Amino acid sequence: MLFQAIKKTLDFPRSSPVVRQGYIDFLAKTFALSHNGHHGLEHWMRVLINGRLLAERNGADIEVVEHFALVHDVMRENENMDLHHGPRAAEFIRAITGTWIKLDEHQLHLLMEACRYHSVGRLDRNVTIQTCWDADRLDLGRVGTVPRTAFLGSELARDQNFIEMAIMRSKKRFVKEGFSDD
Ligand SMILES: [Fe+2]
């Protein structure tokens, strides 16, 4: 079971009411690409960790950040220049609101905005949206890219030690047990 394999990751640095077994399984099955690629479950877990570490310190809405980690790439159709996967994720969020996602209107707006524009290289003044993007960009080490501070939106995200720790995590695998794409 997926959840068992990644339970340790999900509890780091704390467990969450947002990230549940059924939700993870549902998203993992919805994802059309390989989870062994650059945008699957391994990446989602690292974005989740980055997001939690940032939100703990900067006051971002943790529920929005956690949902973002899990859904922002779920609608990808390829591993490369899939320009519309952000807007598709926003539509997907609308479709699963009330079932898998239970947020108030403001939170939902933030989550959809964060997903819609997450890959266009912007900065945003809203701390929650920016934390989502920072959490994602801090995992660029998985493709051999060092995150650029010009594209990171908070002091903590731009901290050299924090970036180095994220790069170290980006090279690790978190789904340790028997994960397959079946
Ligand atoms: Fe991503």
Side-chain angles (χ1 to χ4, degrees):
M1 188 174 284
L2 292 177
F3 184 76
Q4 294 302 328
I6 58 177
K7 181 90 170 71
K8 220 171 150 189
T9 301
L10 295 177
D11 287 342
F12 175 82
R14 65 174 183 80
S15 59
S16 146
V18 167
V19 185
R20 314 299 296 189
Q21 174 174 350
Y23 187 34
I24 295 274
D25 289 349
F26 166 71
L27 294 172
K29 283 179 191 135
T30 299
F31 187 59
L33 306 177
S34 169
H35 283 289
N36 295 311
H38 293 311
H39 298 95
L41 193 56
E42 292 277 359
H43 170 58
W44 308 348
M45 293 301 102
R46 292 189 297 259
V47 177
L48 183 66
I49 291 170
N50 293 340
R52 284 175 173 176
L53 291 172
L54 291 168
E56 252 184 1
R57 297 267 292 274
N58 68 14
D61 186 320
I62 187 66
E63 288 186 48
V64 173
V65 170
E66 292 191 344
H67 277 297
F68 173 87
L70 301 179
V71 302
H72 73 284
D73 278 336
V74 77
M75 288 288 107
R76 265 192 172 270
E77 294 175 351
N78 67 62
E79 294 278 5
N80 306 308
M81 286 293 285
D82 184 348
L83 293 176
H84 300 292
H85 76 282
R88 281 199 303 276
E91 289 311 306
F92 177 69
I93 287 160
R94 197 193 299 279
I96 63 170
T97 292
T99 51
W100 295 107
I101 295 179
K102 294 190 170 90
L103 297 174
D104 67 32
E105 211 145 299
H106 179 60
Q107 290 176 305
L108 202 54
H109 169 74
L110 294 176
L111 177 59
M112 290 174 70
E113 285 290 290
C115 284
R116 188 174 285 121
Y117 300 112
H118 79 269
S119 60
V120 298
R122 283 180 15 184
L123 294 174
D124 198 286
R125 286 185 185 180
N126 180 279
V127 67
T128 297
I129 292 176
Q130 189 58 51
T131 296
C132 292
W133 295 348
D134 286 349
D136 189 26
R137 289 168 192 170
L138 282 163
D139 195 38
L140 278 170
R142 75 194 189 285
V143 291
T145 302
V146 175
R148 288 170 57 191
T149 52
F151 290 100
L152 296 170
S154 72
E155 217 173 295
L156 176 59
R158 287 192 293 265
D159 178 88
Q160 276 313 314
N161 284 338
F162 196 85
I163 291 174
E164 276 166 33
M165 291 300 287
I167 290 173
M168 278 173 65
R169 282 193 299 274
S170 75
K171 298 180 191 315
K172 281 173 64 177
R173 292 186 66 81
F174 284 88
V175 183
K176 291 185 171 41
E177 296 162 25
F179 183 78
S180 80
D181 293 327
D182 298 337

